[in-house]
């Protein structure tokens, strides 16, 4: 495992870390026994950062992390998020009283005294521009309840605004082969300012594993079924903003990236890790096999400049016109 500095903070985090949305819920059926085995396998391989949120399974993923990391609180870092348990458009959701309540609830579920990274969970731009929530987070840092804070954003515009806030230590952003816009400005600017980049949905909700076919179906409680067109939340959170059928078609044109790299999963993660501005990628998982497959990306060859140019052209010409949602 290789480690990268979390921006200008004092933390070193594994360049492949993991997100826990899938083991919390909204990705189909969950099996806590398999989830805990997978968490253990990741930690044994050197993974020291897990990303979660208070709304993942209504706090379920936070409770699983508490169980899995018991006794390892000093060595295993937790990044969690808040605001989506309330009305994200209501300023009162970001008041000191509300944020303290969210923070205390997460601390209780995680069985920790301090959050390593506390992130605003995809708030509207207007809330960020209001700015008061950053003052609340500053207070929590001063009190020792939060070590560092950041923002999970949907768009480049939101990310660039957050970079202007002096104490934002990390941005969580959707970046993958299908979603390259952040590479045009946001990631380099974050790197220049010493702000960490956590890449979520690096596999575009599974499209970039290359395992889906037009006949693939998803369970009723899987967001890939109930949010394909943004019915419940931002459409960009599902299949990178592509419709499923189009995503499968486009993934079918990317088989070449797996040559010499094992499979598309490993290749897609390697492509992201090749970018200096990326602090870590946080793919999801539901079992040990998926953890191991993701971690195998550490051992595959980097992309050549010729390959990178091919992927840039593919995105611009074949993918970009079909992406929906704020970006």
């Amino acid at each position: 495992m290789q480690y990268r500095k979390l921006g200008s903070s004092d933390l070193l985090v594994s360049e492949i870390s993991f997100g826990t949305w899938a083991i919390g819920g909204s990705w189909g059926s969950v099996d806590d026994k398999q989830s805990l085995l997978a968490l253990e396998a990741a930690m044994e391989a050197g993974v020291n950062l897990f990303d979660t949120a208070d709304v993942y399974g209504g706090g379920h993923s936070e409770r699983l992390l508490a169980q899995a990391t018991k006794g390892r609180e000093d060595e295993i870092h937790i990044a969690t998020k808040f605001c989506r348990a309330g009305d994200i458009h209501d300023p009162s959701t970001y008041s000191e009283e509300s944020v303290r309540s969210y923070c205390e609830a997460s601390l209780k579920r995680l069985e920790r005294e301090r959050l390593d990274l506390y992130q605003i969970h995809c708030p509207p731009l207007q809330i960020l521009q209001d700015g008061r929530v950053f003052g609340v987070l500053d207070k929590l840092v001063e009190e020792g309840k939060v070590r560092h804070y950041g923002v999970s954003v949907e768009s480049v515009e939101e990310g660039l605004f957050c970079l202007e806030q002096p104490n934002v230590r990390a941005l969580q952003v959707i970046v993958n082969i299908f979603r390259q816009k952040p590479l045009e400005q946001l990631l380099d600017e974050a790197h220049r300012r010493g702000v960490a980049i956590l890449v979520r949905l690096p596999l575009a909700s599974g499209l970039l594993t290359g395992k889906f076919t037009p006949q693939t179906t998803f369970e009723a409680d899987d967001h890939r079924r109930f949010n394909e067109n943004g019915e419940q939340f931002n459409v960009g959170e599902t299949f990178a903003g592509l419709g499923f059928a189009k995503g499968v078609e486009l993934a079918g044109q990317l088989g070449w990236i797996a040559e010499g790299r094992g499979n598309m999963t490993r290749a897609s993660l390697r492509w992201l890790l090749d970018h200096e501005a990326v602090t870590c990628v946080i793919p999801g998982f539901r079992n040990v096999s998926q953890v191991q497959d993701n971690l195998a990306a550490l051992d595959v060859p980097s992309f050549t400049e010729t390959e990178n140019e091919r992927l840039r052209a593919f995105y611009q010409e074949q993918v970009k016109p079909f992406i929906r949602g704020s970006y």
Side-chain angles (χ1 to χ4, degrees):
M1 180 62 68
Q2 299 295 315
Y3 298 85
R4 302 184 183 187
K5 197 174 182 189
L6 190 82
S8 60
S9 80
D10 55 347
L11 297 180
L12 286 174
V13 299
S14 49
E15 59 183 11
I16 292 184
S17 295
F18 283 97
T20 60
W21 187 9
I23 64 172
S26 297
W27 287 76
S29 58
V30 295
D31 181 329
D32 289 352
K33 182 178 179 180
Q34 291 300 314
S35 299
L36 290 168
L37 288 171
L39 286 166
E40 180 62 27
M43 290 185 288
E44 287 301 307
V47 173
N48 74 341
L49 173 67
F50 294 95
D51 177 77
T52 187
D54 55 6
V55 291
Y56 292 171
H60 187 59
S61 72
E62 289 183 328
R63 294 187 188 94
L64 284 173
L65 283 169
Q67 188 174 343
T69 65
K70 194 71 173 175
R72 297 178 174 179
E73 291 85 358
D74 292 336
E75 59 184 278
I76 304 299
H77 307 307
I78 302 293
T80 193
K81 300 186 285 292
F82 73 95
C83 83
R84 301 194 79 85
D87 179 352
I88 64 169
H89 299 282
D90 184 349
S92 69
T93 298
Y94 309 87
S95 68
E96 182 172 343
E97 180 182 9
S98 293
V99 178
R100 282 187 181 278
S101 177
Y102 293 138
C103 180
E104 293 291 352
S106 284
L107 286 168
K108 184 176 181 179
R109 286 188 293 267
L110 288 163
E111 299 178 27
R112 295 198 171 206
E113 296 181 358
R114 179 174 67 171
L115 301 173
D116 295 302
L117 180 63
Y118 203 29
Q119 303 158 103
I120 317 173
H121 197 174
C122 300
L125 179 60
Q126 295 89 334
I127 292 295
L128 296 170
Q129 292 171 331
D130 174 84
R132 282 175 286 185
V133 67
F134 298 112
V136 174
L137 291 168
D138 285 333
K139 284 187 178 182
L140 294 178
V141 171
E142 291 170 6
E143 295 169 10
K145 293 184 181 297
V146 171
R147 192 170 183 175
H148 304 291
Y149 67 81
V151 188
S152 182
V153 298
E154 298 285 8
S155 71
V156 167
E157 181 183 11
E158 291 164 358
L160 290 172
F161 180 83
C162 290
L163 292 180
E164 299 293 332
Q165 311 312 306
N167 296 322
V168 168
R169 295 286 180 257
L171 289 180
Q172 190 174 135
V173 187
I174 303 173
V175 192
N176 53 58
I177 291 173
F178 287 154
R179 204 168 172 95
Q180 297 186 34
K181 184 179 178 182
L183 299 177
E184 296 168 8
Q185 179 185 6
L186 180 60
L187 265 62
D188 286 343
E189 186 63 18
H191 187 63
R192 187 180 73 81
R193 291 172 179 260
V195 175
I197 293 289
L198 282 64
V199 173
R200 73 180 188 276
L201 298 174
L203 301 174
S205 306
L207 284 174
L208 289 169
T209 67
K211 296 176 181 178
F212 297 158
T213 71
Q215 290 72 44
T216 300
T217 59
F218 302 97
E219 296 176 60
D221 61 345
D222 190 323
H223 75 101
R224 292 173 293 186
R225 178 169 173 178
F226 67 73
N227 194 63
E228 180 184 355
N229 299 304
E231 294 91 339
Q232 298 294 320
F233 42 83
N234 191 291
V235 69
E237 299 288 344
T238 306
F239 303 129
L242 296 166
F244 179 67
K246 189 64 181 180
V248 171
E249 175 194 330
L250 291 168
Q253 300 177 37
L254 286 172
W256 64 269
I257 67 173
E259 296 172 11
R261 299 186 178 96
N263 59 33
M264 283 180 61
T265 297
R266 299 169 194 177
S268 297
L269 295 176
R270 180 70 262 169
W271 178 79
L272 286 163
L273 292 172
D274 285 346
H275 292 86
E276 183 183 19
V278 170
T279 304
C280 61
V281 295
I282 50 172
F285 65 95
R286 283 195 284 185
N287 54 54
V288 171
S289 177
Q290 290 176 344
V291 165
Q292 293 172 337
D293 197 24
N294 288 328
L295 291 174
L298 295 168
D299 300 317
V300 303
S302 292
F303 282 72
T304 66
E305 184 50 42
T306 299
E307 289 175 316
N308 282 324
E309 183 53 45
R310 184 176 175 182
L311 288 174
R312 281 191 290 269
F314 170 73
Y315 162 73
Q316 289 289 341
E317 298 165 10
Q318 304 295 323
V319 182
K320 186 177 178 180
F322 297 96
I323 292 179
R324 304 164 297 168
S326 53
Y327 187 25

